[in-house]
Amino acid sequence: FINDIHQKHPTLTETDHRICCFIKMRLKNREIASILNITVNGVEQNKYRLKKKIGLNKSENLNSYIQSFGKK
């Protein structure tokens, strides 16, 4: 999964990869915040930045995009 994301989006950081993994695991923002020891608002900001880095527009869903990786 990480290799697929890295090949498609080589500019993502290690933190971005971690967020992607948590999204792929279908964790909620509150659960991600607890794991990373940051606020829920911090998770939302990370997801917003990640969405911009990937190049998704406002109507596209980051969670759906991440879930689509690894499906053949």
Side-chain angles (χ1 to χ4, degrees):
F1 167 72
I2 290 296
N3 290 332
D4 292 342
I5 290 262
H6 186 70
Q7 286 177 351
K8 185 138 185 177
H9 306 287
T11 60
L12 296 183
T13 65
E14 178 114 7
T15 303
D16 296 333
H17 289 152
R18 290 180 78 192
I19 296 288
C20 289
C21 287
F22 293 141
I23 292 171
K24 184 75 169 172
M25 293 167 55
R26 298 183 188 274
L27 296 180
K28 295 181 178 15
N29 287 354
R30 180 169 286 168
E31 295 167 321
I32 296 171
S34 175
I35 292 168
L36 296 178
N37 201 25
I38 59 175
T39 64
V40 174
N41 190 32
V43 173
E44 291 169 357
Q45 288 176 345
N46 281 333
K47 287 172 107 176
Y48 176 76
R49 288 186 195 114
L50 180 59
K51 190 172 177 177
K52 282 179 70 172
K53 284 182 184 179
I54 289 174
L56 298 178
N57 62 32
K58 290 182 181 180
S59 65
E60 294 176 293
N61 187 326
L62 177 64
N63 290 7
S64 299
Y65 180 78
I66 298 296
Q67 292 300 330
S68 71
F69 271 89
K71 294 182 181 177
K72 305 282 184 218

